[in-house]
Amino acid sequence: MQLSKEHFEPISVDLRQSESIKRPSLSFWADVWRRLRMNKVAMVSMIFIITLILCAIFVPMMTNNDYFTTNLAGKNQKPSAEHWFGTDDLGRDIFVRIWHGARISLEVGIFAALIDLIIGVIWGGIAGFYGGKVDEVMMRIADILFAIPYLLVVILLMVVLEPGVTTIIIALTITGWIGMARIVRGQILQLKSQEFVLAARSLGANSSRLIFKHLIPNALGPIIVTLSLTVPNAIFAESFLSFIGLGVAAPIASWGTMSSEGLPAMKYFPWRLMFPAVFISITILAFNLFGDGLRDAVDPRLRK
Amino acid sequence: MIRYLGKRIIFMLISLFLIVTATFFIMQAVPGGPFTSEKNVPEEIKKALEAKYKLDLPLHEQYLNYLKGVITWDLGPSFTEKSSTVNQMINRGFPVSAHLGLQALIIAIFGGIILGVIAALKHNKWQDYTAMVIAVLGLSVPGFILASFLQYFFAIQWGLFPIAKWEGFSYTVLPSLALAASPLAFIARLTRSNMIEVLGQDYIKTAKAKGLHTVTITVKHAIRNALLPVITYLGPLVANILTGAFVIERIFGVPGLGREFVLSITNRDYTVIMGTTVFYSIILVVMILIVDIAYTLVDPRIKLADAGRE
């Protein structure tokens, strides 16, 4: 084949064109979402968690059975069309009780995580930002509290206070915020020597504006990851406490109390233990997997 | 070294003092005394009982007495088991708990490390995925649930192991497994991620280039370095196993201190609750100190003075 000059055409190099941005620029959170969406395990967990929340809200509203009416004539029934998960030793419908238990678990998980977040961010933020003596004193207090075994504190408080959801949340948060405070402090220490903080300071931003408008938003990634992993821990602690008889009082249904009541009857009525046990495990599993996925999405360098 | 140690011990003592004080005042805040439940006790007898247990003294004297008791390791009588003191209960229950705990500890450490090393060596192959599925399950299934399932399948359905009690080796298998599961999973994950990091380091390449055998590289160069962070986890691990034993002992009917503790909570036996809490706290705080010191001794790169900070 003969090549002649007509076959070639010079491409005009337009400098301005080459500098234009072809793709939409992604914000940090859009990028996190893009990475999270690719992680199938995390997405399945997220869908499970959303379903769980919706069911916990709506199922108890829609069924005819309630969680506390006893019916001794129909006790220890097998799972059937009427009672999907069977009934317990007082004839209460296990399906409805599971969703009431879900409400309690989610309440405890979410509120404990939120309170940890608030205290931890303020404490760690102040300690990290001011540094020096303030940091030393604040973190020493945290260290000393942290040395006290967490479940022992929780158990002691539960012995003294009225049993109930609020008490569980108080007991869980009394030492639970320390992990969050440490993470926030570490982040703030790292961030505060960067130039944008200096810039903001030279523009006249005061300390609280620096902490809450500049430093904390930049530390949000690790904060949210810690938050998402606090939830399963709180759910676990609630079921543990209820299981040893320190959680919510009867007749309120909690997954822990339901397992505890189902345990002695395991041989003859295994479903009474099986359903709450499976729900606790899968819920904690889903939160853990979602938290792991979120961690990888927020900071891909951490993926291992 | 000595300055660091002194500082750590002072903080440890402060923590312990806070725990003792907190437990004392928390227990004082409980409405009703230990004798309120006794029916129709005449006022005089109640007074005499309170005098016997020194409950008629003003609060600060009771507090000082209790502190003195803790220092001289005399934790007082039990209010529900009239014949025994808290010291006796600890002496009776703790050896059993320690036996169970040690067995679980060994399973968790060896099982976890083996699982983690296999997963790291076969990174992104099926062995890795299987090991990580086991690890995630171990972390997510609470110990008391796992214990119930082990009991249901291994004891009730298949009859391989006795269902409860504590009368010989076969009785210890299921509780140890149930107790070891979640720390095992945690150690496996930790080992795996450290191993993967270490295997990517230059000195591993050097070792390979020297022509060393893979086994030698893994055992001599990789595992030793990958295990360092695992040592830091040993402190929380002991805490995990001790507190985990509360329910495991209850489920399997093991006559250990954990079950004693849970029973004392149900019975509202305040001196036992206080005594065992103090006892557990001392063990845990001391364990964490020992682990920190061991860590700095094992890894020469860490200077003690910095280890106190983060």
Side-chain angles (χ1 to χ4, degrees):
Chain A
M1 187 183 159
Q2 199 72 20
L3 289 175
S4 64
K5 242 184 170 180
E6 296 85 71
H7 285 103
F8 295 95
E9 185 188 330
I11 298 169
S12 64
V13 180
D14 185 350
L15 279 174
R16 268 182 304 171
Q17 194 91 54
S18 74
E19 288 293 305
S20 70
I21 296 167
K22 296 260 167 41
R23 292 163 208 268
S25 84
L26 288 177
S27 73
F28 174 67
W29 292 107
D31 209 28
V32 167
W33 173 238
R34 185 183 58 83
R35 279 192 292 260
L36 188 65
R37 225 173 26 196
M38 290 189 305
N39 184 339
K40 284 196 196 90
V41 178
M43 288 317 283
V44 171
S45 309
M46 197 181 82
I47 292 167
F48 174 81
I49 292 168
I50 293 173
T51 320
L52 188 81
I53 293 173
L54 292 179
C55 287
I57 297 172
F58 294 112
V59 169
M61 288 180 186
M62 295 188 306
T63 54
N64 303 322
N65 300 314
D66 57 44
Y67 70 93
F68 50 83
T69 308
T70 56
N71 170 21
L72 288 178
K75 67 177 183 179
N76 291 328
Q77 280 179 7
K78 274 193 179 165
S80 62
E82 194 191 348
H83 300 290
W84 287 3
F85 291 175
T87 60
D88 66 4
D89 57 339
L90 295 172
R92 296 173 293 197
D93 183 79
I94 292 180
F95 183 71
V96 181
R97 285 176 71 76
I98 284 282
W99 294 113
H100 270 276
R103 282 184 176 186
I104 289 181
S105 291
L106 290 170
E107 250 171 62
V108 169
I110 289 166
F111 282 107
L114 280 182
I115 296 173
D116 279 359
L117 172 77
I118 295 167
I119 304 178
V121 164
I122 293 176
W123 193 276
I126 293 175
F129 184 76
Y130 289 103
K133 278 266 174 316
V134 180
D135 180 35
E136 183 81 3
V137 171
M138 287 178 87
M139 290 328 280
R140 279 303 157 216
I141 295 176
D143 281 351
I144 290 171
L145 279 178
F146 196 69
I148 304 173
Y150 140 85
L151 260 181
L152 283 181
V153 180
V154 175
I155 287 176
L156 275 184
L157 284 176
M158 296 304 299
V159 171
V160 180
L161 304 172
E162 287 277 302
V165 176
T166 329
T167 316
I168 297 180
I169 294 173
I170 293 174
L172 287 181
T173 46
I174 221 156
T175 56
W177 55 271
I178 294 170
M180 180 64 87
R182 285 184 166 173
I183 299 269
V184 174
R185 171 180 169 270
Q187 287 290 318
I188 301 274
L189 276 182
Q190 248 180 38
L191 288 169
K192 78 172 176 186
S193 55
Q194 292 188 5
E195 282 81 5
F196 74 92
V197 180
L198 188 67
R201 200 194 287 276
S202 56
L203 285 172
N206 61 13
S207 302
S208 76
R209 188 180 163 84
L210 272 177
I211 296 182
F212 292 106
K213 287 266 161 170
H214 292 282
L215 293 174
I216 295 207
N218 275 296
L220 263 187
I223 292 177
I224 287 186
V225 172
T226 316
L227 196 66
S228 71
L229 293 172
T230 312
V231 178
N233 283 339
I235 292 178
F236 165 75
E238 185 275 324
S239 61
F240 178 89
L241 288 172
S242 300
F243 187 83
I244 62 174
L246 283 175
V248 294
I252 301 173
S254 140
W255 292 343
T257 42
M258 290 171 73
S259 320
S260 167
E261 286 162 8
L263 185 63
M266 181 168 64
K267 192 168 181 182
Y268 304 105
F269 317 113
W271 60 89
R272 280 178 48 198
L273 175 65
M274 217 66 91
F275 286 114
V278 165
F279 269 89
I280 299 174
S281 308
I282 293 183
T283 305
I284 296 178
L285 182 70
F287 273 107
N288 275 334
L289 291 175
F290 178 69
D292 281 356
L294 197 60
R295 188 193 53 207
D296 293 344
V298 166
D299 189 352
R301 282 169 304 173
L302 289 176
R303 187 197 299 270
K304 273 171 186 164
Chain B
M1 170 85 189
I2 297 200
R3 241 192 98 206
Y4 166 77
L5 216 75
K7 208 170 150 193
R8 283 298 306 264
I9 290 176
I10 290 173
F11 277 116
M12 192 182 87
L13 290 178
I14 296 177
S15 301
L16 285 177
F17 172 75
L18 280 181
I19 295 169
V20 173
T21 311
T23 30
F24 180 82
F25 286 104
I26 286 176
M27 287 302 133
Q28 289 298 319
V30 178
F35 303 115
T36 20
S37 59
E38 317 268 326
K39 282 172 215 146
N40 299 328
V41 183
E43 203 52 29
E44 299 81 39
I45 294 182
K46 205 176 156 197
K47 282 255 166 62
L49 272 174
E50 282 183 346
K52 180 169 183 267
Y53 290 113
K54 298 203 174 105
L55 292 174
D56 53 344
L57 297 175
L59 194 61
H60 65 273
E61 275 181 45
Q62 284 189 42
Y63 173 60
L64 287 180
N65 275 339
Y66 190 72
L67 274 187
K68 240 182 262 165
V70 170
I71 291 168
T72 56
W73 203 240
D74 170 18
L75 297 170
S78 158
F79 285 129
T80 45
E81 268 188 61
K82 290 271 152 55
S83 55
S84 50
T85 65
V86 179
N87 286 42
Q88 281 169 343
M89 289 170 101
I90 291 177
N91 291 342
R92 199 170 55 211
F94 186 63
V96 178
S97 292
H99 177 188
L100 176 63
L102 274 180
Q103 237 169 278
L105 206 67
I106 292 168
I107 298 176
I109 293 176
F110 284 99
I113 290 175
I114 292 171
L115 210 61
V117 169
I118 292 176
L121 291 179
K122 306 278 176 187
H123 189 33
N124 283 337
K125 300 212 177 78
W126 66 265
Q127 293 97 327
D128 185 17
Y129 296 127
T130 324
M132 285 309 104
V133 167
I134 296 175
V136 170
L137 280 180
L139 280 180
S140 302
V141 179
F144 61 91
I145 304 264
L146 182 68
S148 330
F149 278 101
L150 286 178
Q151 224 178 19
Y152 185 71
F153 289 107
F154 286 92
I156 295 178
Q157 293 290 342
W158 304 328
L160 293 175
F161 292 102
I163 182 162
K165 284 194 180 162
W166 190 255
E167 284 162 0
F169 177 71
S170 63
Y171 290 85
T172 66
V173 176
L174 293 184
S176 305
L177 278 180
L179 203 49
S182 91
L184 187 150
F186 195 90
I187 293 178
R189 273 171 67 136
L190 206 59
T191 312
R192 172 177 174 270
S193 60
N194 292 326
M195 270 298 274
I196 290 174
E197 205 182 299
V198 167
L199 286 176
Q201 302 255 330
D202 287 342
Y203 65 84
I204 299 288
K205 270 190 207 128
T206 313
K208 267 187 201 154
K210 272 197 319 193
L212 286 184
H213 196 261
T214 327
V215 177
T216 327
I217 296 177
T218 316
V219 175
K220 279 207 139 177
H221 295 274
I223 292 185
R224 280 176 80 174
N225 283 298
L227 286 190
L228 283 172
V230 176
I231 296 177
T232 34
Y233 174 63
L234 286 182
L237 169 67
V238 173
N240 203 328
I241 283 188
L242 277 181
T243 45
F246 295 165
V247 268
I248 303 295
E249 286 179 8
R250 202 197 104 174
I251 293 174
F252 288 101
V254 177
L257 192 57
R259 196 180 65 145
E260 210 82 84
F261 183 57
V262 176
L263 269 180
S264 72
I265 293 167
T266 348
N267 295 336
R268 296 289 193 265
D269 191 344
Y270 297 120
T271 45
V272 179
I273 299 180
M274 269 154 63
T276 26
T277 310
V278 172
F279 180 71
Y280 274 128
S281 322
I282 291 174
I283 293 186
L284 291 180
V285 173
V286 171
M287 273 314 294
I288 288 172
L289 180 69
I290 292 175
V291 165
D292 279 2
I293 294 171
Y295 188 57
T296 49
L297 290 181
V298 172
D299 190 350
R301 284 172 301 187
I302 296 174
K303 293 248 168 64
L304 271 177
D306 302 325
R309 290 170 219 137
E310 288 190 27

